[in-house]
Amino acid sequence: MVLIGVVDDKQVNRRTVERNLATCNGFNIVLQASNGEDFMEQMEAMPANTRPQVVLMDIDMPIMNGIETIAVGSIKFPETKFLVLTVFDD
């Protein structure tokens, strides 16, 4: 089972990813966050063995964007892999 995190400021995007992954065996979403700061707080509160192995990260978010979050998160949580999953209207 691959433990997944989804970080996106738009709830509709987080729910879409959740619905799509629910149809696939082998994935379990264990964290959903609305920005990088929220992600960091949740990760620090989780026991290491329950943290996501893979995080789908939006880039454009308020408070702490995806680029900053990946830069800090990669150092603080080296066992977690980050994938950028983002949508721009233009």
Side-chain angles (χ1 to χ4, degrees), residues 1-4 20-30 53-54:
M1 181 71 62
V2 179
L3 305 179
I4 304 288
N20 287 331
L21 286 179
T23 64
C24 302
N25 292 327
F27 296 102
N28 185 21
I29 295 179
V30 295
Q53 298 162 300
V54 177

Side-chain angles (χ1 to χ4, degrees), residues 1-71:
M1 181 71 62
V2 179
L3 305 179
I4 304 288
V6 181
V7 184
D8 195 305
D9 59 319
K10 294 175 183 68
Q11 186 177 25
V12 66
N13 292 348
R14 292 192 310 268
R15 288 189 186 206
T16 299
V17 170
E18 181 179 29
R19 277 194 310 271
N20 287 331
L21 286 179
T23 64
C24 302
N25 292 327
F27 296 102
N28 185 21
I29 295 179
V30 295
L31 181 148
Q32 291 190 43
S34 59
N35 59 61
E37 184 176 281
D38 182 22
F39 167 77
M40 291 295 177
E41 290 172 359
Q42 288 188 52
M43 287 288 281
E44 289 170 358
M46 297 175 84
N49 65 332
T50 65
R51 289 180 183 146
Q53 298 162 300
V54 177
V55 175
L56 305 176
M57 181 73 64
D58 186 20
I59 292 176
D60 188 27
M61 296 180 292
I63 303 174
M64 187 176 188
N65 71 38
I67 302 299
E68 295 169 308
T69 304
I70 291 170

